[in-house]
Amino acid sequence: MEAEINWEDVKKKEARGSGDLDLGEVHEIECSDIIVEKGIIDKIFYRIPKSLAINFDGHVLHLNISKENLKKYEIESLAPSITEQLESTTEINAGGGSSGGIQMEDKGP
């Protein structure tokens, strides 16, 4: 049974598993999952079902997950969020001398 948690409040908060297992920081909340990010340089992401949430005390999200079961929730990579995608795009007509378009070579007859 899923705990009664205001999911917007847990973003950027610490996540802990069974036995005070450090899971990292809550990165994102999706429909039925919590995306947790662990590490600074070598980041590891976990997609953990919300149904494993026990409670949120205002600072730490407590999850019913053990170190032995954690590996199965690891995800290879995290797709950029819509905000990250918008921030990384550039104007089509920016630079390149081709007015942003594709130059076609005329192969002739």
Side-chain angles (χ1 to χ4, degrees):
M1 183 170 133
E2 193 175 306
E4 291 293 322
I5 295 172
N6 181 345
W7 294 107
E8 286 301 311
D9 292 344
V10 304
K11 287 183 182 177
K12 303 294 181 196
K13 301 294 184 181
E14 184 179 356
R16 293 267 174 188
S18 303
D20 208 30
L21 175 66
D22 181 10
L23 300 174
E25 183 179 272
V26 176
H27 181 72
E28 243 179 272
I29 302 297
E30 295 183 345
C31 292
S32 60
D33 297 320
I34 304 157
I35 306 299
V36 178
E37 173 184 356
K38 185 172 183 180
I40 296 171
I41 296 172
D42 294 324
K43 295 180 181 185
I44 300 172
F45 292 93
Y46 300 101
R47 181 181 306 277
I48 302 171
K50 285 181 179 178
S51 61
L52 295 179
I54 299 169
N55 66 33
F56 176 61
D57 65 13
H59 303 285
V60 179
L61 176 63
H62 299 274
L63 299 160
N64 186 18
I65 188 167
S66 66
K67 185 175 183 178
E68 295 77 30
N69 291 329
L70 186 59
K71 187 72 174 169
K72 72 179 179 182
Y73 297 107
E74 189 173 331
I75 52 179
E76 194 67 31
S77 64
L78 190 62
S81 69
I82 291 173
T83 303
E84 291 168 332
Q85 290 177 40
L86 289 173
E87 290 172 353
S88 71
T89 58
T90 58
E91 248 185 74
I92 291 175
N93 290 331
S98 66
S99 298
I102 297 173
Q103 296 293 324
M104 300 299 288
E105 185 178 318
D106 183 16
K107 299 226 179 208

